[in-house]
Amino acid sequence: MSEWAGISGSATSVLTAVEDEGGGTGFTFKRCRWCGTASFRRLLCPVCASSDLETQHSAGPGIVVQSRVVHRGTGVARNESLVRFPEDFVVPCRIVGTAPNLVWVGAEVRSVPGAAEDAGEVHFELSEPAVDDGAYYR
């Protein structure tokens, strides 16, 4: 696979799901060659402002560090979360494939197979499906 195989046509879309050699999905992000800071959707390093960024693949799944249910803008509730990756960068995203109220802090997430990268939003799904046992309402 070439270095640019997972990057979509947009210059600002630098976090994308790509097929790994083992058949799983991973993420690409940018790392500054000067200071080593990892970032996504950046044309310049947020620390040193260098434009010398290298595309790399994430080492593992992300962990939800903040999650909230949002009702604004649409009539349907949706989830907005912040996900931290092992390379120590945080991605604002939506968790799909489960009810918005069932996403918890500390949950592992992975990319959604076949998600469109040009939509402007980053989508993930839970690695382990959430179960609603109704205990909250008892």
Side-chain angles (χ1 to χ4, degrees):
M1 179 185 319
S2 74
E3 179 182 357
W4 302 103
I7 305 296
S8 69
S10 171
T12 60
S13 178
V14 295
L15 175 73
T16 56
V18 295
E19 265 315 295
D20 288 339
E21 292 79 21
T25 57
F27 304 101
T28 59
F29 63 95
K30 299 289 186 177
R31 183 174 299 277
C32 178
R33 293 183 191 190
W34 285 88
C35 68
T37 301
S39 62
F40 78 102
R41 289 195 177 171
R42 302 280 184 154
L43 296 176
L44 296 175
C45 173
V47 174
C48 69
S50 170
S51 63
D52 192 9
L53 302 176
E54 175 184 27
T55 301
Q56 293 185 350
H57 296 280
S58 178
I63 303 294
V64 175
V65 294
Q66 181 182 10
S67 179
R68 63 182 173 257
V69 178
V70 179
H71 295 276
R72 71 176 186 272
T74 63
V76 180
R78 64 185 184 278
N79 175 281
E80 291 182 356
S81 297
L82 295 177
V83 174
R84 181 175 299 279
F85 283 89
E87 293 80 14
D88 203 31
F89 64 95
V90 177
V91 178
C93 65
R94 285 184 56 200
I95 309 294
V96 296
T98 189
N101 63 322
L102 297 180
V103 177
W104 66 95
V105 172
E108 283 192 359
V109 295
R110 61 177 180 236
S111 67
V112 177
E117 293 89 16
D118 59 349
E121 286 187 322
V122 180
H123 293 123
F124 294 106
E125 64 184 2
L126 295 175
S127 296
E128 296 180 18
V131 178
D132 186 11
D133 61 359
Y136 181 74
Y137 299 106
R138 290 185 191 161

